[in-house]
Amino acid sequence: MTGMHKAQREVPAPTQRLFLTRREAAIELRMSLAKLDRVIARGELKAKKHGHSVVVMASEITRYIEQWPDIQPRAVRGAR
């Protein structure tokens, strides 16, 4: 039976889930996987191994975003 598709189930938004994969966490934080790996390695964001995967808790992402300093854009800094 070609052309038949499996019924697609709804995937909850990342903020509704407890754990996010590295890729999902990078998208949520708007950074590359390499930068996310550096942030995890520095200990600024906690992650856990789950089998062969690395997952990040959604609460850790929220905590990391709240700790971001208020950074002025370059154009504003250079105008002074």
Side-chain angles (χ1 to χ4, degrees):
M1 294 190 177
T2 59
M4 298 290 291
H5 297 284
K6 288 184 180 178
Q8 291 188 358
R9 61 178 194 217
E10 276 190 43
V11 177
T15 54
Q16 294 175 348
R17 295 176 30 202
L18 293 177
F19 293 97
L20 301 166
T21 63
R22 282 175 51 242
R23 183 176 182 271
E24 293 168 341
I27 290 169
E28 187 78 17
L29 294 170
R30 295 187 180 115
M31 62 175 60
S32 68
L33 282 173
K35 180 160 181 167
L36 178 70
D37 290 341
R38 285 192 298 268
V39 169
I40 292 170
R42 283 189 300 241
E44 296 174 11
L45 188 65
K46 294 179 185 173
K48 295 183 179 191
K49 286 278 286 182
H50 182 70
H52 292 287
S53 304
V54 175
V55 293
V56 181
M57 289 182 63
S59 60
E60 277 292 307
I61 292 174
T62 305
R63 183 191 59 78
Y64 182 74
I65 290 172
E66 289 172 354
Q67 289 182 348
W68 278 348
D70 293 331
I71 300 172
Q72 295 178 347
R74 289 183 182 185
V76 175
R77 283 189 296 181
R80 290 186 199 177

